[in-house]
Amino acid sequence: MTTNGTAGGARPESRTGPGEPGPPDAASEAIAGASAGPADWPLWEVFVRSRRGLSHTHAGSLHAPDAEMALRNARDLYTRRSEGISIWVVPSAAISASSPDEKDSFFEPAADKPYRHPTFYEIPDGVQHL
Amino acid sequence: MALGDDALVLSHRLGEWAGHAPVLEEEVALANIALDLLGQARVLLSLVGDEDELAYLREERSFRNCQLVEQPNGDFAHTIARQLYFSTYQELLYGQLAVGDGPLAPLAAKAVKEVAYHRDHAEQWTLRLGDGTQESHERIQRGLDALWRFTGELFEPVTGLDLDLTALHDDWITRIASVLTRATLTVPQGASRGAWTAGAGRQGLHTESFGRMLAEMQHLHRSHPGATW
């Protein structure tokens, strides 16, 4: 769901931190593995699965002092508290993204090697769920 | 009406935080809670009469909200302490109302989910502030202590509410104490009710800052009475 370049600590489209540093008390306990954002309020990526959705989709990002606060804030910001949905929050620093520079070598399929693509099979009639 | 006034007044207080919260995320959370409370106030006041008339045309002495909710915001810790006391109370109260079959049961069933979230929010912040820095610890403790004397009133009987509120008191204390212990805070000492404590809001006696709050809230309606909006 995250395409290349959307994750990572320095996302250009991510919201920048609050102008005023958060209260130091709120962030006293640094979160293991999370990047130190503005005034210890690291950036979190939010993934939401809607009630009838099949998978979690990246919904956006936010700053929070820790995972529990991130969850609650994500609920307010991205779900408006609809019932029956699932939220994941991940510290942005924990996401490794593929580099846009290596896009070609990473994603360009070798078109001259047709044996890599399973297109030579005839699908019999009546086969479902394929 | 008392419950409606509680929600209306606290909602107004939280609205005052708009644009002033410590961080943007908290801004959203406080506004969310204020909106929930305003929604509850509208339903509750509509059961009594016209919601706008009740909100905008009553004098201070006719308001039946408890004194806890009209207390000024103070600093963030002070607001959180007020939220913790009140939302824990509301959760217990609506929980009771929801299982009954009174006219308030449908509202309570809906609102109990909202106030459970409010309580959770206040609890989270109490833990963080209490177990945060020295400064935040002192501030939240100060807020808890300062507001303690307004909590006894919550469990006084409410006219028109067929519910034994005193029975909720033990539950309330247990919950508050458990949160405060986890937050390395102490439950305020001293009486929460009695001759030397505050709390006659249900009788229409309010603290000084409430009048100013009402003046601001009702200003436009009183300047242009009868207008539609």
Side-chain angles (χ1 to χ4, degrees):
Chain A
M1 55 206 83
T2 40
T3 53
N4 48 319
T6 56
R11 302 178 45 198
E13 71 270 35
S14 291
R15 231 169 34 38
T16 50
E20 186 184 328
D25 38 72
S28 62
E29 305 215 349
I31 306 94
S35 72
D40 287 337
W41 279 55
L43 190 67
W44 298 78
E45 302 299 329
V46 181
F47 299 85
V48 175
R49 185 168 66 77
S50 59
R51 195 192 326 213
R52 295 180 181 243
L54 291 172
S55 61
H56 287 76
T57 312
H58 185 231
S61 55
L62 54 81
H63 287 278
D66 55 34
E68 280 157 33
M69 271 301 172
L71 263 184
R72 284 160 181 79
N73 292 333
R75 188 204 72 139
D76 287 347
L77 287 168
Y78 294 114
T79 72
R80 306 284 169 200
R81 280 183 289 166
S82 315
E83 313 285 328
I85 49 158
S86 163
I87 303 177
W88 290 346
V89 289
V90 184
S92 298
I95 295 179
S96 308
S98 61
S99 154
D101 299 339
E102 296 168 34
K103 190 172 137 233
D104 290 348
S105 56
F106 235 68
F107 297 113
E108 193 77 22
D112 58 342
K113 294 175 186 163
Y115 50 83
R116 286 195 169 188
H117 306 289
T119 52
F120 296 105
Y121 305 97
E122 302 239 335
I123 299 170
D125 291 342
V127 173
Q128 289 173 346
H129 309 302
L130 193 68
Chain B
M1 182 143 92
L3 301 185
D5 283 351
D6 282 353
L8 174 67
V9 171
L10 187 56
S11 162
H12 191 88
R13 282 292 184 214
L14 290 175
E16 294 171 0
W17 269 107
H20 299 278
V23 290
L24 192 55
E25 279 80 3
E26 202 41 39
E27 184 90 32
V28 177
L30 290 174
N32 240 312
I33 296 173
L35 281 176
D36 284 345
L37 288 169
L38 189 60
Q40 295 167 16
R42 293 189 58 179
V43 176
L44 285 163
L45 292 180
S46 299
L47 290 175
V48 185
D50 180 77
E51 49 177 316
D52 283 339
E53 265 174 41
L54 286 169
Y56 292 119
L57 293 176
R58 268 183 304 158
E59 302 283 345
E60 181 182 339
R61 290 295 292 265
S62 313
F63 272 82
R64 293 286 175 265
N65 56 285
C66 60
Q67 292 184 354
L68 175 67
V69 294
E70 77 201 31
Q71 294 311 304
N73 287 333
D75 61 11
F76 184 68
H78 197 85
T79 295
I80 290 300
R82 191 183 59 198
Q83 281 304 113
L84 179 73
Y85 285 156
F86 188 69
S87 53
T88 306
Y89 162 75
Q90 266 195 318
E91 193 183 3
L92 290 168
L93 175 67
Y94 284 145
Q96 286 288 312
L97 285 174
V99 294
D101 52 0
L104 296 179
L107 162 83
K110 178 166 166 280
V112 76
K113 285 189 246 167
E114 297 173 348
V115 295
Y117 171 72
H118 303 169
R119 193 258 312 140
D120 177 75
H121 170 263
E123 211 172 284
Q124 290 290 327
W125 274 115
T126 307
L127 294 176
R128 276 171 181 74
L129 296 171
D131 201 9
T133 63
Q134 181 76 25
E135 166 94 12
S136 72
H137 180 90
E138 279 168 16
R139 283 187 181 226
I140 182 85
Q141 187 69 60
R142 218 179 300 151
L144 291 162
D145 291 345
L147 294 170
W148 181 249
R149 64 199 183 97
F150 296 105
T151 58
E153 185 189 9
L154 300 176
F155 304 97
E156 302 291 337
V158 175
T159 354
L161 195 62
D162 188 21
L163 205 60
D164 185 13
L165 289 175
T166 37
L168 298 181
H169 192 248
D170 289 345
D171 234 357
W172 184 83
I173 292 273
T174 316
R175 288 179 183 220
I176 296 287
S178 134
V179 178
L180 296 193
T181 311
R182 276 191 290 145
T184 71
L185 296 159
T186 47
V187 179
Q189 297 302 308
S192 63
R193 57 170 114 192
W196 294 102
T197 63
R202 301 279 188 234
Q203 285 87 54
L205 297 178
H206 294 283
T207 52
E208 188 191 344
S209 61
F210 184 55
R212 292 197 291 278
M213 196 205 100
L214 275 190
E216 186 183 319
M217 187 174 98
Q218 299 180 334
H219 158 71
L220 193 67
H221 199 283
R222 290 193 184 275
S223 309
H224 304 280
T228 50
W229 54 285

